[in-house]
Amino acid sequence: MKAQIFRKMLPPLGILLIGAMVFAYLKSSREMPNRVKRERSSIRVEALVMEKSDQPVRIRTMGTVIASQSVVLTPQVGGKIVYRNPSLIPGGWVKKGEVLVRLETKDFELAVRQQQGNVAQARLNLANEKGLKAAAEREWNLIREDVAPTEEGKRLALREIQMESAQAALESAEGMLEKARLDLSRTRIKAPFNAVVAEEFVEEGQVLSTQSSIARLVSSDAFHVDVSVPLEALDHLQIPGIHGDSASPARVMQKTASGRDVYRPAELLRLLPDLDARGKMARLLVDVKRPFDPPKMDPAEDERSNLPLLLGDYVEVIFEGRTMERVFLLPRKAVRDGDTVWLFTPDGTLDIRKLDIAWTRGESVLTRDDFLENAVVVTSRIKVPVQGMRLERIGENRAELPDAEGGAIPTDESANKENRP
């Protein structure tokens, strides 16, 4: 039985033994390939050279258009409306001093005539009293040695008190006449400034009291823009009243329906006393003259748009702040992770450094880091940046990097040499 099992296992064992011998022979006879030393590959990148320059700080923020002047007209005297200006409608334009509403004047004219009569009577009384006083003085000269009156008695005898009373009555009558004439003039209610009618509340024939509202007017000569800026931005601005009378230049930018930008000159008026409650930022008031005039399509050109500036609009305001001296200007794409820059070292390797950013301006940033003096900054993307990795610089010719203001930041050897407005 055992002999039969052994005979069955013998062929497979023989095959395994022969296979093992063939494998050992082939392994011992194989020639090892020669090792080839591979050179480390480098990544090709674009870069630009840094140089210090003076750069203006540009502050961009958003704000809401509000009225520079707004008033609700109310009459100072009551009466029936006999005339209503055709322009006294919402959206109507009125000029300073233009009559908007006229009240019935008959009662006020009668009051003027009545007070004129009172003034005439008071003048007559005063003239009569002057004659009586002259007679009293002659009589006093005849009897003054025979009497010893008090001071008040003497004044009565000389009719000085009566003269003062007549003079006071005349002055009171003249005052009442002036008041009657003033009330008559107030029946003509005029626009206090050049304005656009925002709301109107009256009709011809309506009887007004001194509590009635006639219209709400807003100035058409200028609008204001209420903007908020970070507190640190105040260091870069010239604010009237705080830094003398000078103000940082500003402009308001709007977008047309086609997406084009239009610009209006503006003026920084003042710093408001409270912080923006939502963002704890400083609030500034900006003045925009002639808000309904056609704005420029480009600050440097005369092409204009018909887009007006309207109350409640949300617009962008651009301030031209103080110039930062001897700083480096980097394109935003050269800044990694918000505060990191890649340098192309003289030996062709990557050096990863941290930045201390002084200001962000459109598609560029400003910094004072001294290690950037004549440094070469990598602007290309590297998928997996590693400190010390090999780099190869390309694109050493002059290139143009777009900036948010519509200009261009020169790169390479000439980078940062020009101060952009």
Side-chain angles (χ1 to χ4, degrees), residues 266-337:
E267 179 184 357
L268 174 56
L269 282 183
R270 54 187 172 270
L271 173 68
L272 298 180
D274 56 333
L275 293 177
D276 185 339
R278 293 169 297 178
K280 297 299 181 183
M281 296 196 296
R283 296 176 59 217
L284 300 172
L285 203 60
V286 176
D287 185 64
V288 184
K289 304 294 186 185
R290 299 181 297 277
F292 294 96
D293 285 1
K296 286 187 175 183
M297 301 291 283
D298 187 286
E301 299 176 1
D302 288 331
E303 184 183 359
R304 294 181 178 270
S305 165
N306 292 324
L307 182 66
L309 187 66
L310 299 178
L311 295 176
D313 197 2
Y314 196 57
V315 296
E316 184 171 13
V317 179
I318 305 169
F319 296 101
E320 299 294 338
R322 294 191 181 100
T323 297
M324 296 182 68
E325 298 180 352
R326 296 186 59 75
V327 293
F328 297 101
L329 175 68
L330 286 84
R332 182 76 74 91
K333 71 175 185 177
V335 180
R336 322 292 170 168
D337 300 326

Side-chain angles (χ1 to χ4, degrees), residues 44-302:
R44 305 180 73 190
V45 295
E46 293 182 347
L48 57 90
V49 175
M50 291 285 100
E51 291 183 7
K52 285 184 176 179
S53 62
D54 296 340
Q55 295 290 336
V57 172
R58 184 172 294 114
I59 301 167
R60 305 175 70 105
T61 184
M62 302 297 293
T64 303
V65 180
I66 60 176
S68 60
Q69 289 180 282
S70 178
V71 64
V72 176
L73 287 181
T74 57
Q76 293 178 281
V77 295
K80 179 181 178 181
I81 297 176
V82 294
Y83 168 78
R84 176 177 175 272
N85 193 314
S87 297
L88 192 62
I89 56 175
W93 292 68
V94 294
K95 295 181 179 180
K96 180 179 179 180
E98 185 175 353
V99 176
L100 304 181
V101 167
R102 188 167 65 243
L103 304 180
E104 191 174 36
T105 61
K106 183 176 294 186
D107 291 343
F108 298 97
E109 291 170 349
L110 290 174
V112 169
R113 287 200 293 270
Q114 181 181 357
Q115 294 303 326
Q116 287 174 335
N118 292 339
V119 169
Q121 182 63 49
R123 286 175 178 168
L124 181 62
N125 293 341
L126 180 61
N128 182 59
E129 193 59 46
K130 285 181 179 179
L132 293 175
K133 185 176 186 302
E137 288 176 347
R138 288 194 298 270
E139 292 177 359
W140 175 257
N141 289 332
L142 295 175
I143 65 172
R144 64 181 177 179
E145 295 180 355
D146 300 329
V147 296
T150 63
E151 186 63 29
E152 288 297 319
K154 180 181 177 180
R155 294 185 70 234
L156 281 170
L158 293 174
R159 301 193 68 85
E160 291 179 354
I161 294 178
Q162 292 86 334
M163 273 288 297
E164 292 174 359
S165 176
Q167 182 66 44
L170 175 60
E171 292 177 356
S172 176
E174 289 176 340
M176 295 298 291
L177 175 59
E178 184 178 355
K179 174 65 166 55
R181 287 172 173 166
L182 184 61
D183 286 345
L184 177 60
S185 69
R186 287 170 174 170
T187 60
R188 299 165 63 90
I189 301 164
K190 303 177 181 180
F193 45 75
N194 296 332
V196 178
V197 179
E199 297 177 273
E200 60 84 22
F201 312 105
V202 296
E203 295 293 340
E204 188 170 339
Q206 182 176 341
V207 177
L208 301 182
S209 70
T210 55
Q211 304 300 317
S212 303
S213 296
I214 298 173
R216 183 168 69 87
L217 307 179
V218 296
S219 172
S220 59
D221 291 335
F223 283 169
H224 288 167
V225 184
D226 186 345
V227 301
S228 299
V229 299
L231 290 174
E232 57 269 21
L234 299 181
D235 287 337
H236 301 286
L237 294 173
Q238 287 287 121
I239 303 175
I242 297 178
H243 305 112
D245 296 329
S246 60
S248 295
R251 52 186 166 143
V252 169
M253 189 181 78
Q254 300 169 268
K255 283 193 177 295
T256 64
S258 61
R260 293 192 62 182
D261 297 335
V262 294
Y263 298 87
R264 295 179 183 274
E267 179 184 357
L268 174 56
L269 282 183
R270 54 187 172 270
L271 173 68
L272 298 180
D274 56 333
L275 293 177
D276 185 339
R278 293 169 297 178
K280 297 299 181 183
M281 296 196 296
R283 296 176 59 217
L284 300 172
L285 203 60
V286 176
D287 185 64
V288 184
K289 304 294 186 185
R290 299 181 297 277
F292 294 96
D293 285 1
K296 286 187 175 183
M297 301 291 283
D298 187 286
E301 299 176 1
D302 288 331

Side-chain angles (χ1 to χ4, degrees), residues 1-8:
M1 185 69 177
K2 291 182 178 181
Q4 290 178 353
I5 295 174
F6 179 74
R7 282 196 299 271
K8 289 181 179 180

